[in-house]
Amino acid sequence: IGGLVPMTLVGIPLQRTSAMWRAAGRSYEEAVSFHRALGHVMMAMYSYHGIGYMVYWLLLGIDRFAREMSDWFHCGKCTHINNLAGAVSWAAGFLLWMTSLKWARRRNYARFITTHQLHLVFFGFGCIHWPTLLAYAAPSIVFYAADLMLRLHTSRNGVEGIARVRPSTAEPALT
């Protein structure tokens, strides 16, 4: 449960032109710091959750671990949490987390940006793992969609060109 609060806020749009951050009176750099801190807290909590359960199942025996991790294959009767989807979600989140650490991000920024697209796998499989997660991810989805629509709307309004004709032919006609 501890990772759900950061998850609710971690997906708030981080574009430099995000109207939400401007309305809140925060700079882009402050927004990035907020996003980073939430991401670290969220993944630390989910790592504790996922690894804790896996260790517990292993302590109960390899058969129990295999049964818990293969529950997806019997999902016609599945009325509980899908643990294999949770493991896939955690693995995607963990890879995203590791490539976003300062040393990895600065070493290869392109890899950092590319692996950040794993947020779709992280959230998607997280919702398969526990469908109620969609309710916690909804604020981020709504904020992102609203910000995207606002940016699309403002980009459709072209920028007016400003030109001045100079009377002299020795100078360029447009400035």
Side-chain angles (χ1 to χ4, degrees):
I1 300 283
L4 295 175
V5 173
M7 177 180 271
T8 303
L9 301 172
V10 77
I12 293 175
L14 273 179
Q15 291 78 13
R16 286 188 185 275
T17 58
S18 178
M20 197 185 109
W21 290 108
R22 283 192 312 243
R26 298 289 176 221
S27 69
Y28 174 73
E29 290 74 20
E30 289 172 318
V32 169
S33 295
F34 182 67
H35 177 80
R36 240 183 245 144
L38 286 173
H40 290 309
V41 169
M42 179 183 68
M43 283 311 301
M45 298 297 258
Y46 285 148
S47 294
Y48 178 74
H49 167 80
I51 293 169
Y53 270 105
M54 287 188 250
V55 167
Y56 173 71
W57 295 326
L58 282 169
L59 290 173
L60 293 177
I62 193 74
D63 292 338
R64 173 70 183 261
F65 179 79
R67 189 170 56 248
E68 292 289 346
M69 294 307 287
S70 65
D71 60 355
W72 202 343
F73 305 120
H74 312 292
C75 218
K77 305 171 204 129
C78 183
T79 58
H80 63 288
I81 291 174
N82 186 322
N83 296 319
L84 184 58
V88 171
S89 174
W90 176 78
F94 189 77
L95 185 59
L96 192 155
W97 188 25
M98 290 299 107
T99 59
S100 67
L101 295 174
K102 188 175 183 176
W103 64 269
R105 186 179 66 246
R106 292 194 179 209
R107 180 176 290 165
N108 193 336
Y109 191 75
R111 182 181 302 137
F112 159 73
I113 290 297
T114 303
T115 57
H116 248 65
Q117 301 316 308
L118 287 173
H119 76 278
L120 297 170
V121 175
F122 178 69
F123 284 120
F125 279 87
C127 288
I128 294 169
H129 169 63
W130 187 50
T132 307
L133 183 70
L134 187 57
Y136 290 92
S140 293
I141 294 167
V142 169
F143 281 130
Y144 183 78
D147 190 65
L148 183 64
M149 291 299 119
L150 182 64
R151 285 186 290 126
L152 285 173
H153 176 70
T154 56
S155 70
R156 288 182 175 263
N157 300 337
V159 176
E160 292 183 22
I162 300 173
R164 181 175 63 162
V165 178
R166 293 189 180 186
S168 170
T169 58
E171 296 180 33
L174 298 176
T175 59

